[in-house]
């Protein structure tokens, strides 16, 4: 009917507007300042997000609840997330995962997953659908922990030769980071293929 078609178009328009806003934010302020969103800010944001989702879920006539329970939200969020992962996979840099658009993609998927989980974990008779619950809850825990814990994850580089030790490392942008321990390279060796290409690297490290 015309009413249903208008509702679907409104859903798609709202979802598109959400991602468009993240693109504008990316152009205005650049990448996400991950250091600002590290623990305990990340935990506070996670609890706030959960509270907002439960609040919207409790309002059965809410338009936002209907939005995230709609097929449009599921298809749109999965498609946007798949596109984001594809761009990340073919990109030569991981900087894209620090963008506001990527964060908006994952947040949209996570929010849709929350509402689908809340709707489907019981059947019409009130019995728990254990298969559905375990599958979707496991995915929810995985995605939410990766998303809200991303600011506390660091990839550091530390060049060492055998017998050397260091207490500092470098991030991808060249920033020097102090380590909470001293790392010493006691020994290292490299195995090669017959054609001279490296096959495996082994190192003996001491953490003090």
């Amino acid at each position: 009917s015309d009413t249903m078609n208008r509702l679907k178009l409104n859903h798609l328009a709202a979802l598109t507007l959400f991602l468009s806003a993240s693109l504008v934010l990316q152009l205005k302020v650049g990448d996400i300042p991950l250091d600002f969103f590290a623990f305990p800010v990340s935990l506070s944001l996670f609890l706030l997000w959960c509270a907002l989702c439960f609040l919207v879920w409790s309002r059965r006539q809410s338009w936002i609840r209907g939005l995230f329970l709609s097929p449009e939200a599921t298809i749109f969020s999965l498609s946007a997330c798949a596109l984001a992962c594809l761009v990340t996979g073919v990109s030569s840099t991981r900087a894209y995962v620090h963008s506001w658009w990527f964060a908006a993609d994952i947040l949209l998927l996570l929010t849709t997953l929350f509402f689908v989980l809340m709707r489907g974990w019981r059947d019409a008779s009130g019995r728990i659908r254990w298969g559905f619950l375990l599958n979707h809850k496991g995915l929810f825990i995985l995605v939410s922990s990766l998303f809200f814990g991303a600011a506390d994850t660091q990839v550091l580089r530390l060049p060492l030769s055998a017998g050397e030790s260091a207490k500092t490392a470098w991030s991808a942008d060249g920033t020097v980071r102090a380590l909470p321990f001293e790392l010493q390279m006691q020994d290292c060796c490299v195995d090669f293929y017959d054609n001279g290409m490296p096959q495996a690297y082994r190192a003996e490290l001491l953490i003090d």
Side-chain angles (χ1 to χ4, degrees):
S1 66
D2 292 340
T3 302
M4 290 299 297
N5 289 334
R6 283 198 299 270
L7 184 60
K8 291 179 180 180
L9 289 175
N10 289 338
H11 287 165
L12 291 175
L15 296 169
T16 303
L17 181 62
F18 175 72
L19 290 188
S20 299
S22 68
L23 286 175
V24 173
L25 189 61
Q26 179 68 30
L27 294 175
K28 291 292 186 180
V29 303
D31 290 340
I32 298 174
L34 288 180
D35 291 342
F36 175 79
F37 291 101
F39 182 86
V41 174
S42 57
L43 178 60
S44 300
L45 290 176
F46 174 71
L47 295 176
L48 176 62
W49 174 80
C50 288
L52 289 174
C53 287
F54 274 111
L55 178 63
V56 173
W57 173 258
S58 65
R59 299 184 176 182
R60 296 187 176 275
Q61 303 302 320
S62 170
W63 185 86
I64 299 178
R65 171 178 163 144
L67 168 66
F68 286 109
L69 289 175
S70 68
E72 296 79 42
T74 300
I75 296 172
F76 191 95
S77 61
L78 287 175
S79 300
C81 188
L83 177 61
C85 292
L86 179 62
V87 172
T88 304
V90 301
S91 175
S92 59
T93 176
R94 291 181 55 84
Y96 175 71
V97 301
H98 298 156
S99 67
W100 291 99
W101 189 61
F102 186 83
D105 283 342
I106 303 302
L107 184 61
L108 179 59
L109 176 65
L110 192 57
T111 305
T112 304
L113 180 60
F114 174 91
F115 282 89
V116 171
L117 177 61
M118 292 297 294
R119 178 182 59 183
W121 71 283
R122 288 182 181 272
D123 60 20
S125 63
R127 291 178 300 182
I128 298 176
R129 301 168 62 193
W130 287 107
F132 178 93
L133 178 62
L134 293 177
N135 287 333
H136 286 72
K137 188 175 182 179
L139 182 60
F140 177 82
I141 292 174
L142 174 64
V143 176
S144 60
S145 60
L146 291 175
F147 179 73
F148 288 100
D152 298 295
T153 302
Q154 297 186 62
V155 178
L156 302 177
R157 304 179 190 277
L158 176 58
L160 284 178
S161 300
E164 294 182 344
S165 61
K167 295 189 68 174
T168 57
W170 287 264
S171 61
D173 60 2
T175 304
V176 178
R177 303 283 187 176
L179 301 176
F181 51 81
E182 184 177 59
L183 187 65
Q184 182 180 18
M185 173 81 76
Q186 293 189 322
D187 191 20
C188 64
C189 61
V190 183
D191 295 333
F192 296 91
Y193 290 105
D194 294 338
N195 61 4
M197 294 294 292
Q199 179 183 16
Y201 299 87
R202 294 194 301 274
E204 184 178 347
L205 302 175
L206 177 65
I207 299 177
D208 187 8

mmCIF file of all heavy atoms in Angstrom, residues 59 103 166 189:
data_model
loop_
_atom_site.group_PDB
_atom_site.id
_atom_site.type_symbol
_atom_site.label_atom_id
_atom_site.label_comp_id
_atom_site.label_asym_id
_atom_site.label_seq_id
_atom_site.Cartn_x
_atom_site.Cartn_y
_atom_site.Cartn_z
ATOM 1 N N ARG A 59 9.209 1.574 24.557
ATOM 2 C CA ARG A 59 8.123 2.371 23.971
ATOM 3 C C ARG A 59 7.657 1.686 22.688
ATOM 4 O O ARG A 59 8.217 1.897 21.613
ATOM 5 C CB ARG A 59 8.611 3.794 23.686
ATOM 6 C CG ARG A 59 9.052 4.515 24.948
ATOM 7 C CD ARG A 59 9.435 5.951 24.679
ATOM 8 N NE ARG A 59 9.751 6.645 25.912
ATOM 9 C CZ ARG A 59 10.082 7.932 25.984
ATOM 10 N NH1 ARG A 59 10.108 8.661 24.880
ATOM 11 N NH2 ARG A 59 10.363 8.494 27.148
ATOM 12 N N ALA A 103 32.673 3.989 11.961
ATOM 13 C CA ALA A 103 32.061 3.855 13.282
ATOM 14 C C ALA A 103 30.539 3.898 13.184
ATOM 15 O O ALA A 103 29.839 3.145 13.874
ATOM 16 C CB ALA A 103 32.564 4.961 14.209
ATOM 17 N N ALA A 166 64.336 -2.383 25.095
ATOM 18 C CA ALA A 166 63.721 -1.068 24.940
ATOM 19 C C ALA A 166 62.471 -0.979 25.793
ATOM 20 O O ALA A 166 61.862 -2.001 26.142
ATOM 21 C CB ALA A 166 63.384 -0.802 23.481
ATOM 22 N N CYS A 189 65.896 -15.856 15.016
ATOM 23 C CA CYS A 189 66.379 -16.589 13.847
ATOM 24 C C CYS A 189 65.295 -16.579 12.771
ATOM 25 O O CYS A 189 64.113 -16.402 13.080
ATOM 26 C CB CYS A 189 66.785 -18.009 14.198
ATOM 27 S SG CYS A 189 65.454 -19.027 14.854
#
